[in-house]
Amino acid sequence: MSTQSIPPSTRAVRAIEEASIAPAPSPLKVVLRVASTVWSNGKARIGIIILGLMILIAVFAPLLAPYGARQNGFDRSADASAAHWLGTTAAGEDVLSQLIWGAQISIFVGLVAGLLSTVIAVLVGLSWGYVRGFGADVINFIVNLFLVIPGLPLMIVIAAYLSGGGIGMIIVVVVITGWAWGARVLRSQTQSLRSRDFVTAAVFSGERPFRIVFREILPNMTSLIVGNFFGAATAAILAEAGLEYLGLGDTTVVSWGTMLFWAQNSNALLTGQWALLFAPGLCIALLATSLTLINFGVDGISNPRLREGSKR
Amino acid sequence: MTALLEITDLSVDYGEGAGSTHAVNHVSFTLQHGEFVGLVGESGSGKSTLGFAVTGLSKPPAHVVGGSILLDGVDIASLSSADLREQRHGGIAMVLQSGMNALNPVRSIRNHFVDIFRAHGHIDRADWNSRAEELVAKVELPSSVLDRYPGELSGGMRQRVSIALALSLEPKLMVFDEPTTALDVLVQHAVMDTIIELQKKENFTALLISHDLGIVLESAQRVLVMHEGEIVEDAPSRQILESPRDDYTKMLLSHYADPRADVVELPGFEKRVASVSSRTRQKDQKAIVVDHVSKVYPAPRRGEPQVTAVDDVSFTLEPGQSLALVGASGSGKSTLAKLITAVEKPSAGSVRFGDLDVGSLRRGQFRQLHRDVQMVFQDPYAALNPLHTVEYTLTRPVVNFTGLKGLDARRRVLELLDTVGLSPVEEFAAKLPHQLSGGQRQRVVIARALASNPQVIIADEPVSMLDVSLRAGVLALLEDLREQWGVSLLYITHDLLSARVVTDNIMVLNGGRVVERGNTAEVLRNPSDEYTIRLLDAIPNPGRRDVA
């Protein structure tokens, strides 16, 4: 087998000793290269730093927060002071501590729900884009169904139905209502990539459809998928805050959304407690912004030429 | 008489600082009134950058770093963008390579003219229609095209429209940047004729930028040859043709030959006469038999007739044979390649490879066919996945078809790279496609096609996207592989010269039908079909201007 399948006319290579043949580059190197690409973009670096800080704050909340999240008994609705930098809530809790503890929920929900809806969008979108015929029509029908149902009412209905489920319930609701749009975007990109010569060439190389979709087509959509992830995470963070603000989540959990819910309930704006409303709102906005900034750097992954251009 | 355009010591850089690239390097030349000058260079020579700088259209990161561009004594580089726009009337106009895509698809052709007339106000509103009709007549189009939309016109017609639009401001200088490169051979010939006629009649100064020395020599009076940002030769066309001084010009000229000649010589293909040399045959090699095959596509729109891409074609590709399939675009030659490789299924007739009925293969059975029938794609920039290294690209077919694994597979990949002349092999294996030149990419594509040790290679215009100087190398490689491995070659092209040097037999397709077939040298020397003669006449011939 081996002697037959190796054709003639190779002078130089025969001379190469087996030992000198180095193995192919490892996947770890590829990941490092991708990471340095994203980092080399100024905007993305700012985004990563902000996101990193927020994650650190969330992780080390027990050390950073001056008080417990639900620890009350302080002066009610107090203004900012040395003891309470951002004042206290109407229930007599420390706002700064709540803000720090609340980061845990918002970031967790954002990342997990974003990841789950992206995974579903990738699986559905890519296979939908590559297959033709009846299978594609079936997927088309299901995705369209999820796209035409208005998101917020559906979210509220599902949340009300699953009431009392806590964070897990919120993640499920966000994922169910959030994957369809990403699937459609990825499907159209798959369809345009499918007709490229290098995909036809992969067929000629004897590749199976599964491998063509996930090794040839998918890497070319990295920026779109990562972009979709950050978009979905942003939407999840906003949806989580929205649902909790409406009181549909577990209102005893401290998150930025429930902080807004309680601030609204206690008419914080009328009593001049701006920090109670603005601090969680700003945090949500900042988190969403950091994710968007990272997306700028992600663009360089799919397009090597863009990357070299940025170095010049 | 003073010169119309005087360029002195012009330099254009891409980017700034240490990492910048000098695209145009201290270039000086002048254009006299009414002159037709050609600017020739291969990709990356800076010819288009120069063209854009002359018209004041340089876009960042390109910027002029030194020298002056004087048009009638006014320095264009110093003009503000508002002044520059004023100057467009009666100044410089440019026709782009993709000029046919520069038309707005939702506005009629008439509206395109009206936009220009309105912006410059140089023509009375009452005369707009007559002026527009006059302009399209100049580029040999009927006035009915004014009410059409760009999507309804062919590529050649659209390029004519963009020339007419450029003419509407009565420019003194017209810059044509590869005006016919994106067009079909026959159309290209016709559009160039229009440009040459137009220049004689209107007497504007023309600067024709092209990679094709043949086109430039047959149209321009004087030729500037550009190489790596510098003008290496500036001489009248006849002198360039008969006694070129610069080595680079000589090298470019050496790649032109008349396919009708008795003996065709190209670098790498010395003294190739019409003979089938004895070649090593692989054991059990099978023939491709195409038997009365037709391919009909459904009508593009309701009420229109069906499109017959391939019409009752039969031929046999014998083991070790090389067959050229030539024709203009739309002649069905690429569809035929798709039918043979099972990408498309025939509407009638059958394609057989040995015992295998290609037309009835299902997706899961493609491997059976692709083990022996491989393809080299037209565009090396699109045929390689930009994110995979050369090694990955070549390893996949090796693993899939030969069953080699690990170090064995890697050794085979390095052998393939050596076979196609990419050494040092280790270095090339680790590269990504964007780090390779067009010629190197095409070699990788060929290496991939060889990975399964195939019996047949189908090459679809393998050199049409490459620079002239790289073409001969890739063609010589295909020819070597055929002689050494006994691979049969189906060579699809519109370029009769390359068909002459790499193939033994030829088939000329027109409208999906075979109009002529036979020994390549004999058919090209004594063509009998009118279509073949037209194709031969459309080849840029450096001597044509002298004859005319």
Side-chain angles (χ1 to χ4, degrees):
Chain A
M1 170 85 204
S2 62
T3 47
Q4 262 185 346
S5 59
I6 294 176
S9 102
T10 45
R11 305 164 304 277
V13 187
R14 292 259 160 81
I16 297 176
E17 293 297 318
E18 225 163 88
S20 74
I21 300 177
S26 69
L28 184 70
K29 261 188 182 168
V30 177
V31 171
L32 283 178
R33 198 184 66 208
V34 168
S36 74
T37 304
V38 177
W39 184 253
S40 68
N41 181 303
K43 288 178 193 156
R45 205 175 302 168
I46 296 172
I48 293 173
I49 291 171
I50 297 174
L51 182 65
L53 281 177
M54 287 211 161
I55 291 176
L56 282 180
I57 288 172
V59 170
F60 293 106
L63 300 174
L64 291 171
Y67 310 100
R70 304 218 53 84
Q71 186 184 350
N72 51 14
F74 305 111
D75 290 343
R76 286 163 188 249
S77 303
D79 283 332
S81 64
H84 306 285
W85 289 3
L86 294 176
T88 57
T89 66
E93 299 142 327
D94 182 49
V95 175
L96 180 64
S97 303
Q98 287 208 325
L99 208 57
I100 292 172
W101 284 102
Q104 287 186 333
I105 307 288
S106 288
I107 292 175
F108 178 76
V109 171
L111 297 187
V112 172
L115 193 67
L116 287 178
S117 59
T118 306
V119 168
I120 296 176
V122 166
L123 291 176
V124 174
L126 265 72
S127 45
W128 182 21
Y130 195 74
V131 300
R132 297 172 202 235
F134 184 68
D137 291 340
V138 172
I139 305 176
N140 189 23
F141 177 77
I142 297 170
V143 176
N144 283 342
L145 202 63
F146 277 92
L147 279 173
V148 292
I149 299 173
L152 193 63
L154 178 66
M155 231 185 264
I156 293 171
V157 168
I158 300 176
Y161 181 73
L162 300 171
S163 61
I167 300 168
M169 179 272 291
I170 290 201
I171 291 176
V172 169
V173 172
V174 170
V175 170
I176 289 177
T177 55
W179 64 273
W181 183 248
R184 182 164 273 280
V185 171
L186 293 175
R187 174 246 198 169
S188 52
Q189 181 69 6
T190 307
Q191 281 183 321
S192 95
L193 286 173
R194 182 179 63 181
S195 58
R196 295 273 185 90
D197 277 354
F198 68 79
V199 175
T200 315
V203 175
F204 273 85
S205 295
E207 299 282 43
R208 307 242 177 257
F210 185 82
R211 203 175 166 109
I212 290 176
V213 169
F214 291 100
R215 282 306 298 268
E216 300 289 333
I217 295 180
L218 186 137
N220 279 289
M221 313 202 303
T222 318
S223 66
L224 203 61
I225 292 169
V226 177
N228 185 56
F229 163 72
F230 286 121
T234 312
I237 289 164
L238 297 178
E240 180 252 6
L243 286 174
E244 292 189 326
Y245 173 74
L246 293 173
L248 289 165
D250 182 353
T251 49
T252 60
V253 171
V254 175
S255 78
W256 294 340
T258 51
M259 284 177 75
L260 288 171
F261 171 72
W262 287 116
Q264 172 67 15
N265 266 5
S266 58
N267 291 325
L269 212 53
L270 292 181
T271 60
Q273 284 219 284
W274 57 268
L276 213 51
L277 270 176
F278 279 84
L282 271 178
C283 284
I284 292 168
L286 202 60
L287 186 56
T289 309
S290 73
L291 297 176
T292 310
L293 285 174
I294 293 172
N295 254 345
F296 282 103
V298 170
D299 285 340
I301 300 172
S302 267
N303 193 343
R305 263 181 285 176
L306 203 68
R307 193 187 325 165
E308 291 205 336
S310 71
K311 275 182 194 160
R312 278 183 194 150
Chain B
M1 192 172 79
T2 56
L4 171 69
L5 184 77
E6 200 168 341
I7 290 181
T8 328
D9 211 21
L10 180 72
S11 295
V12 183
D13 279 10
Y14 278 91
E16 280 172 60
S20 65
T21 314
H22 308 293
V24 176
N25 220 345
H26 301 289
V27 162
S28 303
F29 66 89
T30 54
L31 298 182
Q32 304 297 335
H33 287 274
E35 221 183 353
F36 198 128
V37 176
L39 178 62
V40 168
E42 300 195 303
S43 48
S45 64
K47 57 187 190 308
S48 287
T49 310
L50 180 59
F52 278 109
V54 167
T55 45
L57 287 172
S58 286
K59 272 184 229 130
H63 56 109
V64 176
V65 289
S68 64
I69 309 164
L70 296 178
L71 179 74
D72 274 343
V74 181
D75 191 354
I76 290 183
S78 68
L79 288 179
S80 69
S81 60
D83 290 340
L84 201 59
R85 210 174 66 222
E86 279 298 306
Q87 166 276 327
R88 299 245 179 261
H89 175 213
I92 301 178
M94 190 162 188
V95 178
L96 300 171
Q97 174 174 2
S98 51
M100 49 181 154
N101 298 330
L103 304 175
N104 187 336
V106 295
R107 293 177 69 74
S108 70
I109 302 300
R110 189 187 304 278
N111 279 331
H112 284 86
F113 283 100
V114 168
D115 286 345
I116 295 179
F117 296 154
R118 186 177 289 139
H120 286 268
H122 61 299
I123 288 166
D124 284 344
R125 181 177 283 266
D127 297 333
W128 282 1
N129 265 335
S130 57
R131 178 69 181 147
E133 279 170 24
E134 191 187 329
L135 283 165
V136 291
K138 280 185 184 173
V139 291
E140 293 160 28
L141 288 176
S143 56
S144 61
V145 298
L146 287 173
D147 294 315
R148 302 286 197 97
Y149 288 86
E152 299 175 290
L153 304 179
S154 70
M157 289 165 95
R158 274 181 282 168
Q159 190 62 298
R160 283 168 191 272
V161 168
S162 50
I163 293 171
L165 286 170
L167 274 178
S168 65
L169 290 174
E170 295 140 19
K172 292 197 198 90
L173 172 63
M174 287 271 273
V175 178
F176 297 93
D177 186 6
E178 305 264 11
T180 59
T181 306
L183 301 174
D184 180 53
V185 256
L186 294 173
V187 181
Q188 178 174 349
H189 186 59
V191 171
M192 271 322 295
D193 277 348
T194 305
I195 291 178
I196 294 169
E197 282 302 306
L198 207 54
Q199 192 270 338
K200 277 185 192 148
K201 247 187 272 165
E202 306 281 312
N203 207 33
F204 52 77
T205 308
L207 180 64
L208 172 67
I209 302 174
S210 177
H211 68 281
D212 192 335
L213 188 58
I215 286 181
V216 169
L217 278 177
E218 75 176 15
S219 54
Q221 298 154 346
R222 186 156 64 94
V223 177
L224 309 170
V225 182
M226 200 159 179
H227 182 49
E228 291 180 354
E230 288 170 21
I231 289 184
V232 294
E233 189 151 4
D234 176 356
S237 303
R238 184 183 284 270
Q239 194 182 324
I240 294 252
L241 186 62
E242 286 165 4
S243 54
R245 271 175 290 122
D246 191 79
D247 286 342
Y248 183 71
T249 317
K250 286 179 193 159
M251 190 278 292
L252 283 182
L253 271 172
S254 72
H255 289 278
Y256 287 89
D258 188 349
R260 278 177 274 206
D262 292 342
V263 179
V264 176
E265 288 192 21
L266 283 187
F269 291 96
E270 276 77 19
K271 304 231 167 57
R272 184 171 158 78
V273 236
S275 71
V276 185
S277 52
S278 60
R279 299 197 169 88
T280 46
R281 289 273 167 92
Q282 288 177 325
K283 273 181 202 161
D284 311 324
Q285 217 176 342
K286 289 170 270 185
I288 287 185
V289 181
V290 176
D291 189 20
H292 295 285
V293 159
S294 296
K295 178 69 187 175
V296 180
Y297 288 107
R301 259 171 254 149
R302 201 180 291 246
E304 287 180 17
Q306 293 177 323
V307 179
T308 307
V310 174
D311 192 1
D312 193 25
V313 171
S314 303
F315 67 91
T316 304
L317 182 64
E318 300 287 353
Q321 193 196 14
S322 62
L323 175 66
L325 214 54
V326 298
S329 49
S331 61
K333 54 192 197 303
S334 289
T335 308
L336 206 46
K338 285 181 189 165
L339 293 173
I340 294 170
T341 53
V343 175
E344 298 268 3
K345 293 191 190 316
S347 317
S350 73
V351 179
R352 310 179 58 77
F353 176 69
D355 311 329
L356 211 59
D357 184 1
V358 174
S360 67
L361 282 182
R362 278 177 287 114
R363 269 194 104 79
Q365 301 168 312
F366 278 0
R367 271 196 195 186
Q368 293 173 33
L369 177 70
H370 294 154
R371 186 182 301 279
D372 292 319
V373 179
Q374 279 287 328
M375 182 140 177
V376 173
F377 295 84
Q378 174 174 15
D379 183 356
Y381 296 89
L384 294 174
N385 192 331
L387 296 174
H388 290 322
T389 59
V390 170
E391 165 145 17
Y392 178 88
T393 303
L394 295 182
T395 304
R396 292 311 303 163
V398 168
V399 169
N400 285 336
F401 289 119
T402 65
L404 296 174
K405 286 204 178 65
L407 276 180
D408 287 337
R410 182 164 163 81
R411 193 182 303 112
R412 176 81 172 101
V413 167
L414 298 183
E415 273 182 359
L416 286 168
L417 283 173
D418 185 54
T419 309
V420 296
L422 289 177
S423 60
V425 284
E426 298 262 350
E427 206 173 286
F428 276 104
K431 291 204 176 191
L432 287 167
H434 76 277
Q435 297 168 317
L436 303 174
S437 72
Q440 288 169 341
R441 285 180 201 217
Q442 197 59 298
R443 281 167 194 270
V444 174
V445 173
I446 293 173
R448 174 172 59 195
L450 294 174
S452 63
N453 205 5
Q455 298 182 6
V456 182
I457 287 184
I458 292 162
D460 188 1
E461 305 259 14
V463 294
S464 67
M465 309 283 282
L466 301 179
D467 275 331
V468 180
S469 60
L470 298 173
R471 284 182 191 182
V474 171
L475 290 176
L477 172 63
L478 283 174
E479 177 69 7
D480 278 355
L481 296 172
R482 202 160 64 85
E483 299 215 334
Q484 286 184 18
W485 291 26
V487 183
S488 9
L489 177 70
L490 183 64
Y491 182 74
I492 299 169
T493 189
H494 66 263
D495 176 10
L496 296 169
L497 178 61
S498 62
R500 173 75 197 269
V501 295
V502 296
T503 62
D504 303 323
N505 292 304
I506 195 167
M507 257 174 37
V508 184
L509 280 176
N510 181 17
R513 302 190 74 94
V514 180
V515 293
E516 190 158 5
R517 66 170 92 204
N519 178 288
T520 306
E522 273 160 27
V523 167
L524 293 185
R525 269 184 293 179
N526 307 306
S528 58
D529 191 82
E530 198 206 335
Y531 183 73
T532 318
I533 297 172
R534 270 173 63 210
L535 276 178
L536 278 163
D537 284 342
I539 297 172
N541 177 0
R544 181 160 75 135
R545 196 186 180 95
D546 295 339
V547 179

